[in-house]
Amino acid sequence: MAAAEPKPPAGVAAARRLARGCWSAFWDYETPKVIVVKNRRLGVVYRLVQLLILLYFVWYVFIVQKSYQDRETGPESSVITKVKGITSSEHKVWDVEEYVKPPEGGSVFSIITRIEVTPSQTPGTCPESVRVSNATCDSDEDCVAGELDMLGNGVRTGRCVPYYHGASKTCEVSGWCPVEDGASVSQFLGKMAPNFTILIKNSIHYPKFQFSKGNIENRKDGYLKRCMFDEVLHLYCPIFRLGFIVERAGENFTELAHTGGVIGVIINWDCDLDLPASNCNPKYSFRRLDPKHIPASSGYNFRFAKYYKINGNTTRTLIKAYGIRIDVIVHGQAGKFSLIPTIINLATALTSIGVGSFLCDWILLTFMNKNKVYSHKKFDKVCTPKDSPGSWPVTLALVLGQAPPPPCPCSTDPSRPQEEGQSQAQVIPSPRPCPTSALSEQMVDIPDRGAGPGPWASEPSQQDSALTDPRGLAQL
């Protein structure tokens, strides 16, 4: 006798059954089934969700965001600036060439409003500034020769010398002397600075739409020589008073002129190119950009020097300048109707309306008191006959209810047992009449008539038995 084949372990057999089940389920086809539920509250929720989604897409997506347009952000831009005006300090008159840095007229420039001047600096030795750490001393032993402090003003010589004023002493350094703190003189230039005028010439270009525009009105009658910016009357006269810019940024001019600061002039070009070009206008805004409330880095200043020779010796004047730096920032976006984003957003809107169906199905199958009845009505499992005559058109006609259903071999009738030796193909169970209802079914949410036996209590069981009947293809 042949040895019996060993049975595979239970875990392996279960894994095989699971794999076969997954493989079989992979080839199943699912089709939606329409069920009309006569429930007023559920219908109100469904229509309300649809209305909210529709309002969101119509008002916000299409009207506010204009999602039917193709957009381009970040226009190509050029900025040219020009400052005019004169002012005076305690010692001299200042013109544009002296108080504007740099003088090229770019999008970032500084207007000097206060200076601290250290005149006649020459290479030599002198006391170090008391503001430098470890600069104070009592004797030469406190100063190390050749030591270089990166925050100091030169190389230490190793000597301890009296300071410029007072009784204190500091280490001597070799560098530009006298150092800044020892002989600086402060001068205020902000007396006439609020009346300085600034011309900001800006032009933008959107290459995707081949659209260009500038912020100066195209006139040849000397308009720019007699106009001043006004948001209503002279929008295309980009000549601003410095005091106007500081005021619109919410700052005090006198305080800002003493400590310095950075003011941003923001030009925004938001253009709807479905409208005429005259509707594409610049919008100006002003605000302070540097952190004025942080004492460690408050204000704005920089240093520069002017060099010259006296009796053959190189001499310079060191200037520590406080001023108002102007940053011109240009940004914007342009939009124009395009078919592709319109179709995409319409499809998204139509798809999102289905959220109402999903929400109501969840409520129907979770919270309604007859959720099991609804579940049986909504989900049906249909087994197609394996030995059905004809080709796939016949099978499709059977599924659609266009042909009489043949006997379904999915399950056999337990009331008629097979005879011994009779093959499966010879067993023909008595056909049951399958319901011929359409794919759309209506359900009326009938209130409970009380527990216990009776005609209302037996309805769910009858429905369940009819819906779970595996025979026939018309259970769709």
Side-chain angles (χ1 to χ4, degrees), residues 153-417:
N153 295 281
V155 180
R156 295 185 180 180
T157 63
R159 296 176 57 198
C160 183
V161 297
Y163 196 55
Y164 299 95
H165 47 77
S168 60
K169 292 183 177 182
T170 59
C171 294
E172 185 182 57
V173 294
S174 175
W176 287 96
C177 295
V179 296
E180 184 179 31
D181 298 332
S184 60
V185 178
S186 179
Q187 300 181 36
F188 184 66
L189 286 66
K191 183 178 180 180
M192 301 296 295
N195 296 320
F196 292 168
T197 59
I198 305 173
L199 169 66
I200 302 177
K201 183 179 179 180
N202 175 228
S203 60
I204 57 100
H205 176 68
Y206 288 102
K208 178 183 287 187
F209 306 114
Q210 294 299 311
F211 177 82
S212 300
K213 196 170 184 180
N215 67 337
I216 296 180
E217 190 168 354
N218 187 17
R219 294 173 61 173
K220 298 181 180 180
D221 55 355
Y223 172 67
L224 288 179
K225 294 181 179 180
R226 63 178 185 273
C227 70
M228 193 67 65
F229 174 79
D230 185 272
E231 290 181 345
V232 179
L233 301 177
H234 303 289
L235 180 61
Y236 283 86
C237 176
I239 300 178
F240 306 86
R241 289 175 52 253
L242 181 60
F244 171 81
I245 294 176
V246 175
E247 180 183 354
R248 291 292 297 271
E251 299 295 326
N252 180 274
F253 190 89
T254 303
E255 179 183 348
L256 188 65
H258 276 86
T259 61
V262 181
I263 301 295
V265 179
I266 297 98
I267 307 176
N268 186 28
W269 293 86
D270 282 342
C271 300
D272 186 354
L273 300 184
D274 293 328
L275 302 176
S278 58
N279 292 323
C280 178
N281 299 313
K283 294 182 180 179
Y284 298 88
S285 59
F286 313 88
R287 69 183 184 92
R288 185 165 181 176
L289 302 179
D290 63 305
K292 66 176 180 179
H293 298 299
I294 301 178
S297 61
S298 178
Y300 170 72
N301 62 80
F302 59 96
R303 290 174 174 85
F304 63 96
K306 296 181 178 180
Y307 294 86
Y308 49 93
K309 286 185 177 291
I310 297 179
N311 298 326
N313 297 323
T314 302
T315 307
R316 76 175 187 181
T317 297
L318 178 64
I319 300 174
K320 182 179 182 181
Y322 296 83
I324 301 173
R325 196 181 85 175
I326 303 296
D327 289 11
V328 181
I329 303 171
V330 181
H331 60 80
Q333 60 179 353
K336 193 173 184 178
F337 174 79
S338 178
L339 189 60
I340 294 178
T342 303
I343 294 176
I344 293 175
N345 285 282
L346 282 176
T348 304
L350 296 176
T351 305
S352 300
I353 293 178
V355 174
S357 300
F358 174 79
L359 177 63
C360 292
D361 282 348
W362 179 64
I363 296 174
L364 185 69
L365 300 174
T366 306
F367 298 104
M368 303 295 287
N369 55 359
K370 290 186 178 182
N371 54 356
K372 291 185 178 180
V373 177
Y374 299 145
S375 179
H376 284 303
K377 282 285 185 181
K378 184 172 179 61
F379 303 105
D380 285 345
K381 183 176 181 180
V382 178
C383 182
T384 58
K386 296 182 180 179
D387 299 328
S388 58
S391 58
W392 67 268
V394 178
T395 304
L396 181 61
L398 292 174
V399 174
L400 298 177
Q402 302 298 324
C408 178
C410 295
S411 61
T412 59
D413 192 349
S415 64
R416 301 181 61 185

Side-chain angles (χ1 to χ4, degrees), residues 84-152:
K84 288 186 177 182
I86 60 172
T87 187
S88 62
S89 64
E90 292 82 356
H91 304 286
K92 60 176 291 187
V93 175
W94 298 74
D95 58 7
V96 176
E97 287 75 12
E98 294 182 289
Y99 63 75
V100 175
K101 302 291 181 181
E104 289 81 5
S107 60
V108 178
F109 60 94
S110 300
I111 298 176
I112 299 173
T113 54
R114 186 171 71 90
I115 60 174
E116 292 180 358
V117 182
T118 306
S120 304
Q121 281 189 324
T122 57
T125 58
C126 55
E128 178 62 285
S129 172
V130 292
R131 297 183 182 180
V132 179
S133 61
N134 300 324
T136 58
C137 60
D138 295 324
S139 63
D140 293 346
E141 296 178 356
D142 298 330
C143 302
V144 180
E147 185 179 6
L148 178 63
D149 193 326
M150 299 305 298
L151 299 179

